[in-house]
Amino acid sequence: MLWEVEIRPLGRDSERERVCDEFDLLANASRGGDLVRASARGFLLEGDLDREAAKRLAVELLVDSVVESATIAEIGGIRDDLAITVLLKPGVMDPVAESVLVAAADLGVLPEAVRTFRRYFGTRELNPNDRDLLFRKVLSNDAIEQIVTGALRAEHLTHGKPYTFRKIMVPLLSLDDEGLVKLSKEGQLALNLDEMRTIQTHFREQGRDPSDIELESIAQTWSEHCSHKTLKGPIDYCETIGGQLTTKRINNLLKETIFGSTQELRKRMGSDDWCVSVFADNAGVVKFDDNYHACFKVETHNHPSAIEPYGGANTGLGGVIRDPLGTGLGAKPICNTDVFCFAPPDFPPDQLPPGVLHPRRTMIGVVTGVKDYGNRMGIPTVNGAVIFDERYLANPLVFCGTAGLIPVDRMEKAAQPGDLIVAVGGRTGRDGIHGATFSSLELTEESESISGGAVQIGNAITEKKVLDVVLQARDRGLYSAITDCGAGGFSSAVGEMGAELGAHVHLEKAPLKYDGLSYTEIWISEAQERMVLSVPLAKWKDLEFLCRSEGVEAAAIGVFEATGRLKLSYLGEQVGDLSMHFLHDGRPDVARKAEFTPAIANPSATPHSTLHTPHSTLLAILGSYSVASKEWIIRQYDHEVQGGSAVKPLTGVTNDGPSDAAVVNPVLGTWKGLAFANGLNPLYGDIDPYWMAAAAIDEAVRNAVCVGADPKRIAILDNFCWGNVNDPAVLGSLVRAANACRDVALAFGTPFISGKDSLYNAYASEGRKISIPGTLLISAMGIVHDVRHCVTMDLKEAGNHLYLVGETKEELGGSHYHVVTGQTGGAVPRVDLQRAPEIFAAVHTAISHALVRACHDTSEGGLAVALAEMAFAGGVGADVTNLKDAGPSLSDTALLFSESTTRFVLEVKSEHVLAIQKLFAGLPLAKIGTTVKEPRLRLAGANGEWLIWSKLDELKEAWQKPLRW
Amino acid sequence: MALPKVLILRAPGTNCDEEAQYAFELAGTTADRVHINRLRENPATLHHYQILMVPGGFSYGDDVAAGKILANQLTAFLGDELRKFRDAEKLILGVCNGFQAILKAGLLLPPDDEGPLATLTHNTHGYQDRWLHVEVASQKSPFLKGIRSMQIPMAHGEGNFVCRKEWILKGLEQSGQVALRYANSGGGPANGYPDNPNGSQGDIAGVTDMTGRVLGLMPHPERHILPTQHPRWTREGLKHEGDGLQLFRNAIAFFA
C-alpha cells in the first residue's frame, strides 16, 4: 500500500507567506498572495500498512495536533485539481524520510519506504508566465525537485534496479591523438592530450588497455581539485610594470610563494616554531597548549551552491567539518566560519542570465544551508563576511571553514600493512557522479531529467553520529589512520591513505543506498558523511561494536597491503590494478602562461560634489550591502554551542555591533582562547592584485589583533577563487597575489598553514560572459593567551580619549568611498611591511596590559565608518576634533574615508593616556577626539567646521536597514 | 551529604551535552553522558542516578518536529522507568531540545483524552541565537530556588509555546507551573518580539510539572556558567560567575 499524509497548519501559514513574498520579489509584483492559497507538508508511506497503521504513524509521529491537522488517504485519494506537490527527485537525500523510517520502527510500524513532500494550493486563474515563474523558480528548484499537479499517481516509491556485473575495458592503446581527446571529453575525464598520452604510454608498457575504473581513478587523482596542477605546475610569467618587462619561469607557484614563506618562517622561528603540520594533512595544525594542537581549514563549494544554494552550502560545510576530523587521528571541531560573495540582492530579476538563480534566493539558500548543517552538528559558526558585487551573479562564492582541537599525542597516523580499510558513516549512492541518470518511480509529467548527481543535500545527523564515534574510537586507539571521503570519494581517500603502501578494495562490500550502482560508481561516488579509517585487524571488532552501539554503519571494504599497487575487485573479479607510483607521481606537468600588466592608473578624481556631502557619503557606505549589518545571518547561526564563546560576532550595549573577530575558549576551565578573523577585498584587485592580497592579510591579522590575539601567534589560510586561468591575464593576477602572500607572510611572521584554490569561476551563455573578480580570502586563527583580557569594538563610556593608530594616506582606490560616489581609479592601500608588525605588537601590548577600553580596525569606509560603528555599537557618542593630527597634508575626504591599512581606533581612559603615548613612541599615533554621553557622532574638518554631525540612531538605522530581512 | 549523580542523556544529534556536564561539574557533582541506546538496553541504569538531564541539540535532526522522535523513544522504551524516577522524588531537567522532548513525551504536562495540552512549535521569527532576560515566575521548582531572574541565551527554531486551549494556559499559571517568562531588560513584560523571541503564549520560557521537580526551559542556563560567556562582559566587567550556575547548584542542593 502507498499512503499519503497531508498536514496543514491550523494557525499562521508561514510557508505560504514565504512563497508569496518570493514570487512578488521575482515578478516585481504584489499578486503572489492571490496565486497561492495555502500550503501543506506531507509524507508518502509505502509498505504492508493498513489504514490503522498509517493513521497511527500520522497521529503519534507525523502531526502535531496542537497546531496542525492531517488528512490520510491512499495515494491520489486527496483530490484537489489545484494542488501543486513538490517532491525530491529520486535519489536526492531526504533526511526527514530516513528519520521517519527509524522512528516508525520505534512505534512497531515498518514502512518499506518513505518520502516527504511539500504542497501548495493554487488558483484557477494562473497565466502561463506566472505559472512558469511560480513552478520553476519559487515553489521548487528543478535541480533537485519535481512538481506534480493535481492528485498524485504512483505505484511504488522504491527505486534502483539490480546491477548486473560486467567488466568494462576502455580501448585506449589503439587511439590516435584525436581519439584520446575525444575519450577525455566524452568520458568527462577533464584530462588534456599530454596527460592522455602519458596514460596511453603507461598502459602500452603494460601491454593492455585500462578498465574504466582504472581510467577514472587516474582522472580523479590527477584532477585540478585533487592535485592543484595549475598552481603547483610550471608557469611562464611575464610582468610589465612601468614599461619594464620581467619574465620568469615559475616551477611551482605554491611552493615558491606560500609554502616557501612558511618554510622560511619555521626555520627562522627555530625552537619557537609553533607550526605542527602545514600543507600536509587535511587541515593545517599549530600548537595551542600543553594538551592540544589547533587546526583550521577553509574550503569552497562554489559551483554546487550556484545550482542548488541550500544543498551546495550544506554539503560544503559538511565537507569542511570532515577535514579537521580527518586531520591527524581526528580533531574535534570547535567552530565554523563562513564567507560569501554574492551579487546584490536587489539585482533586477528581469536581467538574470539564463539558468542563473536570483542572488537573493542564492543568499537565503546558502545561509539556510549553513544554518541547518552547522547548528545540527553542534559546532558554533562564529566568524564570517559577505561581499556583494555584480560579478558574482553567476558564480557566487561560498567559503566554509572549520577549526578543531586535537590532543598532542593524536597527530601521527599511518596505515599499516594488514589494516582493514573501513568506511564509516553514510551509505554510498550515485551522489556526486556527474551525468548520473537512473530510472525509478515516475511521479510526474513535468519533471525534468536529473541534472547530474553534482547536486547533493547533506544529512548533518549522520555526520554528527560519525563525529561522536570517531572521537571515541580515536581516544581508544581503534585505528591507525583516518581521512575524509570528499572529492573523488573512495578513489581519493583510499588512494591517498595507501599511497606509500598499496591497497586492495572489494567494492561490493561498500554499503549502498539502493541497488544498481556499478563498481566504478561505487568507487568514485562523492556521497556525503563518509570517513575512511585504517583499522588493525585486532581492533576491528571493537570498532564495529562501538559504531553499531551508536547506530553508525561501518564496513570493511578492503585491506592495506605493501604491494605498491591499487587493486580493485568486484565479487572476486579483478577490475583494476594500478601502480600507486604512477597514480600519484605519473602526471605530466601542465605548463601555463601568465602575464600581468597593471590597470591604467587613473588618478583618482575627487571633485567635491555637493551631491556627496561627508554626511550623506557616510550613510551611503554604512548602508552599502558589503558594510551593512549581517545580523540577519548571524542570529540564524548558533554561535555559542559548546560554551566557549568569549567574544561573539555581535557585540555592544544591545548586542548588535560588528565584532572584528570572534574568540573561542575551547577548553572549558582554562582561559586560553583562539581568535578567528578574515580579510578580503576584491575591489583592490581590480587595481592591483598584489596590494589586494597584502591588504587581505593585513585585515585578517589586524582583526585578530583587535580582540586580543597575539600577533606572533597568528596562522593564516589562503583561498584563491579565480576566473578562467587559461587566460594568461587571469592567471597573471593570481601569480601577483601569490607573490604578495609570500612577502607579507614573511614580513609579518605569519605562517600560512593550509589553503585551497577554486579556479574557472566564469560564466558564458548567449554571448554574455561574466568572470568573478580574482578573490583571495585570508582566514586567520590567532592565539589569545587569556580570554579575560579580550577587548571589543564598542565604545564603553563617555570621557575617554580616542586615538588613531597607523598612518593615513591618500588611498581611495577600490574604496567604498569610490563605490558609493561612483568613482574609479586612484591608489589602492599599500601595506608598510616594516612598520605594520611593529604596530600590531604595540596594539597587542596595549590590549594585554588592559590599557584599551575598545579597539576597532578601519577597513571598508575608513575612519568615519569605524568611528560610527564603535559609537552606535556602544551607544556612546564621540567628538572628533583633531582629525588633522592624523595627516596634516591630507584632504578631509582622505582623512574620513581612505582605507589605508594597519590602522586601529583605540578608546583609552584618561589614566592610561601616558602609558599609551609611551608605548607607541616612534609609531604613528594621533589623539583625534573624545567620547561623549550625547548619542551623536561629530567629526570636524581641517577648518574646524563639522563635516559630520549625526545622531547614532540615524547611523545605526542606515547600517541595519538594508539586510534587516 | 552524598552528592547526587547526574545522567545526561545523549541521542543522535544531541550537542549540548558536554557543556551541560561541565555545568554540573562546576556546580559540584559528577555527571555521566549516556547514549539512549545504552539506556534502552538497560533501562534500570536510570536508577543509579538522582538527576536526569535531557540537553539541547537536534535529536534525530529534529526531523518531523523538534524533539519528537526522541520523545516517542522516551515514551516507548523508558516510559515506566521515567515515571518511577519522577515519583521517587528525583529531578528531571530538559533544556531546549530536551524541553521539547520531555514536553512531547508527556513528562511535564500529561495529555488528556483529547491529546497533548501544549506544544513547542516554530518561532514567529525563525531560528535565533539571542541573549534574553528571563524572570522566574514561580518558586515551585527546586531548580529555581532563590533565583529571581537570569540573563541566558536562546538558540532554537521551535520554542514557541502554544497551549491547545486558553483554559490550559490559565490552569498552568494558577498552579504555578509557569516557571520562567521572557522579559525586557528591566524585568518588565516582554511585549512581543524580540524580548519574547519566539511568540510563546504568556511569554512562557519554561514550565514545570505538577510537582515542580520536572523543569523544561528553552534558553540555555549551561551557556552562562562562566563570566566570559556573557555578551557584554567587556563593557560591564567580569562577574563572579554566570547566572545559570545557580540552577545547577540548586539541583544538587535539593538532595542535601
Side-chain angles (χ1 to χ4, degrees):
Chain A
M1 289 294 289
L2 190 46
W3 296 95
E4 183 177 353
V5 180
E6 179 190 284
I7 301 167
R8 297 220 207 181
L10 290 172
R12 182 180 158 192
D13 188 345
S14 50
E15 175 62 9
R16 171 182 170 270
E17 292 169 20
R18 185 186 71 77
V19 294
C20 294
D21 287 350
E22 178 109 3
F23 179 90
D24 287 343
L25 173 91
L26 291 179
N28 197 13
S30 55
R31 58 182 182 281
D34 302 331
L35 304 181
V36 180
R37 288 175 290 130
S39 83
R41 63 189 183 96
F43 298 86
L44 302 180
L45 310 166
E46 182 179 17
D48 187 15
L49 310 175
D50 56 16
R51 179 174 292 274
E52 208 44 48
K55 191 176 165 197
R56 195 166 156 235
L57 275 188
V59 170
E60 293 188 26
L61 177 66
L62 305 176
V63 185
D64 186 337
S65 65
V66 179
V67 290
E68 294 171 324
S69 68
T71 313
I72 302 151
E74 284 181 42
I75 190 156
I78 301 176
R79 287 174 194 282
D80 186 328
D81 295 350
L82 299 172
I84 306 158
T85 305
V86 182
L87 295 125
L88 288 171
K89 285 183 175 174
V92 176
M93 166 64 74
D94 189 345
V96 176
E98 295 204 346
S99 288
V100 168
L101 281 172
V102 174
D106 289 342
L107 294 172
V109 181
L110 299 170
E112 285 158 25
V114 176
R115 275 171 80 178
T116 61
F117 63 81
R118 299 192 307 277
R119 185 168 284 164
Y120 304 92
F121 300 93
T123 50
R124 274 195 205 288
E125 300 78 29
L126 193 58
N127 72 53
N129 285 345
D130 281 359
R131 179 190 159 100
D132 188 62
L133 180 67
L134 192 64
F135 278 27
R136 293 171 56 92
K137 304 272 183 189
V138 178
L139 300 184
S140 75
N141 180 346
D142 52 23
I144 55 163
E145 291 167 330
Q146 57 190 24
I147 281 188
V148 184
T149 53
L152 291 180
R153 298 177 300 280
E155 306 263 305
H156 296 291
L157 294 180
T158 44
H159 48 73
K161 285 181 186 161
Y163 168 66
T164 315
F165 171 69
R166 190 169 63 87
K167 182 174 173 182
I168 297 172
M169 301 302 291
V170 183
L172 183 76
L173 300 197
S174 58
L175 294 179
D176 57 8
D177 285 356
E178 201 181 320
L180 289 173
V181 170
K182 192 167 163 233
L183 174 63
S184 170
K185 197 165 181 187
E186 287 178 357
Q188 290 172 326
L189 302 175
L191 296 171
N192 67 20
L193 177 61
D194 210 20
E195 292 166 329
M196 289 301 290
R197 278 194 194 139
T198 305
I199 297 168
Q200 191 180 43
T201 308
H202 177 75
F203 280 96
R204 278 214 175 111
E205 287 163 8
Q206 317 271 310
R208 67 175 176 91
D209 277 318
S211 64
D212 60 342
I213 200 169
E214 289 174 327
L215 205 51
E216 286 282 4
S217 298
I218 297 168
Q220 297 288 341
T221 311
W222 291 8
S223 67
E224 182 67 55
H225 192 101
C226 294
S227 74
H228 303 279
K229 53 195 172 192
T230 298
L231 300 193
K232 287 183 177 173
I235 296 173
D236 288 313
Y237 177 65
C238 59
E239 186 175 270
T240 315
I241 291 177
Q244 184 92 25
L245 174 76
T246 331
T247 59
K248 191 183 170 196
R249 175 79 189 227
I250 300 165
N251 290 317
N252 178 328
L253 180 67
L254 286 182
K255 221 176 217 172
E256 290 170 34
T257 57
I258 292 169
F259 301 174
S261 64
T262 299
Q263 277 173 340
E264 196 175 327
L265 283 174
R266 294 188 72 176
K267 229 182 283 168
R268 211 193 281 169
M269 288 187 286
S271 60
D272 193 35
D273 178 15
W274 63 300
C275 297
V276 177
S277 165
V278 293
F279 297 101
D281 211 329
N282 289 312
V285 188
V286 293
K287 290 179 184 169
F288 177 65
D289 65 11
D290 291 342
N291 300 318
Y292 296 99
H293 295 319
C295 65
F296 193 17
K297 179 62 174 270
V298 177
E299 288 262 18
T300 51
H301 223 215
N302 304 332
H303 186 63
S305 303
I307 301 170
E308 212 304 285
Y310 178 84
N314 198 264
T315 53
L317 181 57
V320 79
I321 290 168
R322 293 193 298 276
D323 278 326
L325 190 58
T327 295
L329 285 170
K332 178 192 167 192
I334 54 164
C335 65
N336 295 325
T337 64
D338 63 358
V339 173
F340 311 134
C341 299
F342 300 124
D346 57 358
F347 188 86
D350 54 356
Q351 288 174 31
L352 283 178
V356 169
L357 295 175
H358 191 270
R360 186 181 144 107
R361 176 163 190 176
T362 304
M363 181 167 161
I364 291 174
V366 164
V367 169
T368 310
V370 168
K371 170 188 88 167
D372 280 356
Y373 213 99
N375 291 354
R376 277 175 171 70
M377 286 300 294
I379 303 168
T381 300
V382 300
N383 180 254
V386 193
I387 297 288
F388 295 88
D389 187 301
E390 285 198 3
R391 290 170 288 177
Y392 297 114
L393 185 62
N395 294 91
L397 303 183
V398 173
F399 303 86
C400 294
T402 302
L405 278 197
I406 182 166
V408 293
D409 64 352
R410 288 290 182 271
M411 270 306 295
E412 297 303 320
K413 66 173 164 191
Q416 302 297 323
D419 281 2
L420 295 173
I421 301 169
V422 175
V424 173
R427 292 186 160 207
T428 300
R430 281 203 175 82
D431 320 48
I433 301 173
H434 188 67
T437 49
F438 61 105
S439 61
S440 125
L441 150 120
E442 289 191 0
L443 261 173
T444 166
E445 68 284 337
E446 299 195 14
S447 73
E448 298 183 54
S449 63
I450 294 171
S451 79
V455 179
Q456 300 187 56
I457 303 287
N459 188 345
I461 296 312
T462 303
E463 185 145 307
K464 174 69 165 112
K465 284 169 24 180
V466 170
L467 170 65
D468 290 348
V469 296
V470 161
L471 294 181
Q472 293 175 66
R474 175 197 73 186
D475 293 340
R476 288 167 55 187
L478 298 184
Y479 55 85
S480 52
I482 182 169
T483 199
D484 69 306
C485 237
F490 289 140
S491 160
S492 295
V494 176
E496 272 169 41
M497 279 174 97
E500 307 298 320
L501 206 57
H504 189 168
V505 179
H506 305 275
L507 292 157
E508 76 282 358
K509 295 197 172 166
L512 302 182
K513 290 180 179 172
Y514 35 77
D515 286 343
L517 272 73
S518 75
Y519 60 89
T520 301
E521 287 175 319
I522 295 169
W523 184 232
I524 63 171
S525 160
E526 296 179 6
Q528 298 291 310
E529 287 99 23
R530 299 178 304 166
M531 299 294 289
V532 176
L533 276 60
S534 170
V535 180
L537 213 50
K539 310 277 189 189
W540 166 232
K541 267 205 164 137
D542 285 353
L543 182 82
E544 199 184 17
F545 182 81
L546 171 65
C547 288
R548 200 182 316 128
S549 78
E550 300 209 358
V552 174
E553 204 157 8
I557 60 167
V559 65
F560 288 107
E561 49 189 26
T563 56
R565 313 284 305 174
L566 178 61
K567 292 183 187 167
L568 306 169
S569 58
Y570 188 83
L571 293 173
E573 184 144 355
Q574 182 165 299
V575 291
D577 182 6
L578 283 168
S579 147
M580 282 287 191
H581 177 69
F582 177 70
L583 191 59
H584 291 285
D585 303 314
R587 179 175 60 74
D589 280 334
V590 185
R592 293 190 190 278
K593 283 194 170 25
E595 59 191 37
F596 177 76
T597 314
I600 296 158
N602 290 320
S604 141
T606 54
H608 191 79
S609 161
T610 46
L611 284 174
H612 302 292
T613 65
H615 177 86
S616 71
T617 305
L618 175 59
L619 291 178
I621 297 176
L622 286 170
S624 65
Y625 286 120
S626 298
V627 173
S629 172
K630 309 297 182 303
E631 182 171 355
W632 174 80
I633 298 175
I634 297 166
R635 290 236 177 271
Q636 296 187 59
Y637 299 155
D638 188 341
H639 44 264
E640 299 178 286
V641 62
Q642 298 189 13
S645 171
V647 172
K648 299 177 204 304
L650 294 168
T651 189
V653 68
T654 48
N655 309 330
D656 54 7
S659 273
D660 289 293
V663 178
V664 175
N665 169 214
V667 184
L668 298 179
T670 73
W671 296 110
K672 201 153 189 173
L674 288 165
F676 292 90
N678 67 77
L680 80 162
N681 198 326
L683 295 177
Y684 300 160
D686 293 338
I687 297 172
D688 190 337
Y690 183 93
W691 292 111
M692 168 185 82
I697 298 172
D698 190 86
E699 184 182 11
V701 170
R702 71 178 185 257
N703 276 323
V705 169
C706 275
V707 294
D710 179 351
K712 290 203 164 50
R713 284 287 181 272
I714 294 175
I716 52 178
L717 313 180
D718 63 273
N719 282 88
F720 286 90
C721 286
W722 244 253
N724 186 343
V725 289
N726 294 331
D727 177 345
V730 172
L731 185 56
S733 71
L734 194 158
V735 170
R736 200 162 153 77
N739 285 337
C741 288
R742 175 197 55 213
D743 296 347
V744 179
L746 286 173
F748 286 12
T750 304
F752 280 97
I753 57 168
S754 183
K756 196 84 192 208
D757 55 85
S758 162
L759 309 177
Y760 308 100
N761 290 288
Y763 168 92
S765 172
E766 297 178 0
R768 194 162 163 189
K769 285 187 177 175
I770 313 173
S771 178
I772 65 161
T775 306
L776 171 65
L777 169 67
I778 299 292
S779 305
M781 174 171 75
I783 303 271
V784 175
H785 297 294
D786 187 333
V787 298
R788 292 170 297 183
H789 293 153
C790 284
V791 166
T792 52
M793 51 72 69
D794 45 313
L795 292 182
K796 301 301 188 295
E797 58 262 321
N800 291 340
H801 303 268
L802 289 171
Y803 284 92
L804 176 66
V805 175
E807 193 183 347
T808 305
K809 289 173 267 184
E810 192 91 30
E811 292 177 323
L812 289 159
S815 68
H816 266 63
Y817 175 79
H818 275 189
V819 171
V820 303
T821 57
Q823 298 178 67
T824 55
V828 283
R830 294 184 172 216
V831 181
D832 182 335
L833 294 183
Q834 203 198 323
R835 189 163 258 177
E838 296 168 14
I839 293 176
F840 293 141
V843 171
H844 178 61
T845 306
I847 289 175
S848 38
H849 287 78
L851 303 176
V852 177
R853 279 298 278 155
C855 177
H856 192 26
D857 82 317
T858 69
S859 53
E860 288 95 342
L863 178 64
V865 167
L867 285 166
E869 289 175 344
M870 294 176 82
F872 63 64
V876 172
D879 278 348
V880 177
T881 48
N882 298 315
L883 263 188
K884 215 64 199 163
D885 288 357
S889 61
L890 294 177
S891 66
D892 286 339
T893 299
L895 286 168
L896 291 177
F897 300 116
S898 169
E899 298 183 5
S900 296
T901 54
T902 331
R903 293 185 304 155
F904 299 82
V905 179
L906 308 182
E907 179 192 3
V908 176
K909 287 190 162 195
S910 295
E911 65 251 43
H912 295 134
V913 160
L914 279 178
I916 285 287
Q917 282 168 352
K918 203 172 146 198
L919 185 57
F920 283 89
L923 294 172
L925 176 81
K927 186 169 165 303
I928 55 171
T930 50
T931 57
V932 298
K933 68 174 193 303
E934 294 76 14
R936 58 155 200 248
L937 174 67
R938 297 194 300 186
L939 289 116
N943 305 328
E945 86 283 25
W946 294 115
L947 299 173
I948 289 169
W949 184 326
S950 305
K951 288 184 174 169
L952 298 188
D953 285 350
E954 180 193 25
L955 297 169
K956 191 169 182 176
E957 178 64 16
W959 179 72
Q960 289 188 324
K961 196 171 173 224
L963 295 173
R964 190 194 281 138
W965 289 359
Chain B
M1 75 177 191
L3 286 169
K5 278 179 70 182
V6 186
L7 187 151
I8 297 174
L9 184 67
R10 208 155 65 74
T14 297
N15 62 32
C16 301
D17 46 327
E18 292 188 28
E19 52 270 45
Q21 183 180 29
Y22 180 72
F24 275 112
E25 285 172 359
L26 204 62
T29 192
T30 54
D32 296 332
R33 296 183 294 120
V34 179
H35 197 281
I36 186 162
N37 290 355
R38 303 293 80 69
L39 219 48
R40 280 175 67 173
E41 287 156 10
N42 190 0
T45 314
L46 195 56
H47 303 302
H48 300 156
Y49 297 89
Q50 287 72 45
I51 301 170
L52 167 68
M53 178 180 182
V54 189
F58 288 80
S59 56
Y60 299 95
D62 279 359
D63 295 334
V64 182
K68 179 65 181 170
I69 295 177
L70 178 59
N72 280 6
Q73 293 190 336
L74 293 177
T75 308
F77 307 117
L78 301 166
D80 288 345
E81 302 297 333
L82 284 169
R83 273 187 293 275
K84 272 190 233 162
F85 188 89
R86 188 187 53 192
D87 296 344
E89 302 278 313
K90 293 181 174 182
L91 297 180
I92 300 177
L93 175 64
V95 172
C96 196
N97 195 234
F99 179 21
Q100 293 159 341
I102 64 172
L103 178 73
K104 292 175 185 182
L107 283 168
L108 280 159
L109 314 173
D112 64 13
D113 292 344
E114 287 171 43
L117 303 187
T119 191
L120 289 157
T121 188
H122 296 278
N123 296 356
T124 45
H125 290 70
Y127 185 100
Q128 301 255 310
D129 176 329
R130 184 182 288 281
W131 275 71
L132 303 164
H133 186 103
V134 292
E135 287 281 316
V136 174
S138 155
Q139 288 295 323
K140 194 178 183 83
S141 175
F143 283 105
L144 300 171
K145 197 174 162 191
I147 303 175
R148 293 180 56 187
S149 67
M150 291 184 281
Q151 289 181 22
I152 47 177
M154 53 115 50
H156 64 251
E158 298 179 44
N160 181 356
F161 185 82
V162 179
C163 290
R164 198 179 69 217
K165 296 281 182 213
E166 184 70 23
W167 60 262
I168 297 170
L169 182 65
K170 290 234 164 68
L172 290 177
E173 282 169 346
Q174 280 164 7
S175 60
Q177 285 177 260
V178 173
L180 293 156
R181 285 187 208 274
Y182 302 113
N184 66 28
S185 56
N191 201 17
Y193 181 82
D195 287 332
N196 173 340
N198 51 29
S200 286
Q201 290 177 353
D203 299 330
I204 290 175
V207 296
T208 69
D209 72 341
M210 289 291 283
T211 70
R213 283 183 280 107
V214 184
L215 171 67
L217 72 164
M218 285 312 299
H220 290 271
E222 81 285 5
R223 291 191 190 181
H224 194 196
I225 297 297
L226 301 169
T228 50
Q229 291 165 333
H230 191 273
R232 293 181 304 279
W233 71 265
T234 59
R235 300 182 69 78
E236 297 165 7
L238 288 166
K239 288 204 262 184
H240 176 59
E241 63 181 44
D243 291 358
L245 187 56
Q246 188 59 40
L247 184 148
F248 297 93
R249 276 210 204 95
N250 283 344
I252 297 169
F254 178 72
F255 295 93

